[in-house]
Amino acid sequence: MPQKIAAGNWKMNGMRASLDEARAVASGAPDGITTVLCPPATLLAAMPEGLAAGGQYCHPAVKGAHTGDISAEMLADAGASHCITGHSERRADHGETDADVRAQTEAAWRGGLIAILCIGETLAEREAGRTLDVLMGQLDGSLPEGAGPANTIIAYEPVWAIGTGKVATPDQVAEVHDALRGRVGPDMSLLYGGSVKAGNAAELFALVNVDGALVGGASLTAADFLPIAEALAAS
Ligand code: PEP
């Protein structure tokens, strides 16, 4: 059975004062699911007990002359158990390719982290009817040999739904997640991401192959994030 996972991606948001929100999430996190917050790396070591913490990216190397980068081993040393790889903002801002994402995912595993590997189509690709081809191509290029439920979570994040307030319809999500289930097997957790909020979470979590969410904006406060985690626990 796939694990149910409510994951939050704080992106480049959060000062030490934001740890109050993380503490509130930790103390309110429902039983029966895994709750993960991925804060900026500056806050990882200060994350509270009671929830899992993740990085947002890792360099393929263990260490070395890579100014400004961070390794999976460093994230783990700071308390991370998870690491996002292949987020579309990294692909766009830093030109990360599927091959880069594969190397980062392998690095996450090497560092003992569970990779939350993100894939997603652009609006132009969806409108051209290429959604499933694009997603399967991204998986072929970025999902390493040896991926399984113990080391990898897949997050389907349509690029056009991230931070836009446009959430994919349940039919759109179901079509993709059913295809992903066929590709990765019965036990790997499949998350949806893209403008998930308390008001739309329950109908997404009711879908048979949606095992949770990767949440951006609505993960920044406990008041927004906990109802999403609760909807998942109740699903
Ligand atoms: C994300 O950053 O992965 C994301 C899904 O963001 P948002 O929930 O803000 O759309």
Side-chain angles (χ1 to χ4, degrees):
M1 282 277 286
Q3 273 182 26
K4 292 183 181 181
I5 298 165
N9 172 15
W10 281 10
K11 312 190 186 191
M12 199 171 74
N13 297 290
M15 301 296 194
R16 281 180 292 173
S18 318
L19 291 167
D20 286 344
E21 297 296 335
R23 283 188 278 269
V25 170
S27 58
D31 293 335
I33 68 166
T34 301
T35 302
V36 188
L37 282 180
C38 301
T42 48
L43 297 180
L44 264 180
M47 290 294 276
E49 301 283 315
L51 81 178
Q56 300 175 9
Y57 152 85
C58 64
H59 190 280
V62 176
K63 62 179 180 174
H66 303 289
T67 302
D69 273 324
I70 193 159
S71 72
E73 284 76 5
M74 291 168 176
L75 296 170
D77 187 52
S81 54
H82 291 68
C83 185
I84 296 170
T85 60
H87 194 283
S88 60
E89 289 160 8
R90 298 278 323 171
R91 293 178 190 254
D93 291 357
H94 299 272
E96 290 181 3
T97 64
D98 286 339
D100 294 326
V101 176
R102 176 190 291 259
Q104 292 162 17
T105 302
E106 288 173 333
W109 298 352
R110 183 198 62 220
L113 305 177
I114 298 168
I116 304 175
L117 195 165
C118 302
I119 55 173
E121 83 285 3
T122 64
L123 190 57
E125 289 164 341
R126 174 163 283 278
E127 288 177 348
R130 297 186 49 230
T131 298
L132 292 182
D133 281 353
V134 167
L135 298 174
M136 294 304 159
Q138 288 176 342
L139 276 189
D140 289 346
S142 62
L143 188 66
E145 289 292 314
N151 59 20
T152 305
I153 297 160
I154 303 293
Y156 166 53
E157 299 210 304
V159 176
W160 50 270
I162 295 179
T164 59
K166 287 185 201 158
V167 64
T169 66
D171 282 352
Q172 289 171 326
V173 177
E175 182 194 24
V176 168
H177 279 236
D178 292 354
L180 293 176
R181 177 62 68 221
R183 169 73 167 75
V184 302
D187 296 325
M188 196 178 286
S189 296
L190 301 176
L191 312 186
Y192 168 78
S195 298
V196 175
K197 309 267 183 271
N200 57 30
E203 67 176 352
L204 294 165
F205 298 151
L207 299 172
V208 62
N209 285 318
V210 174
D211 307 306
L214 179 56
V215 183
S219 71
L220 292 173
T221 66
D224 286 334
F225 191 52
L226 281 175
I228 296 171
E230 283 157 10
L232 181 61
S235 69

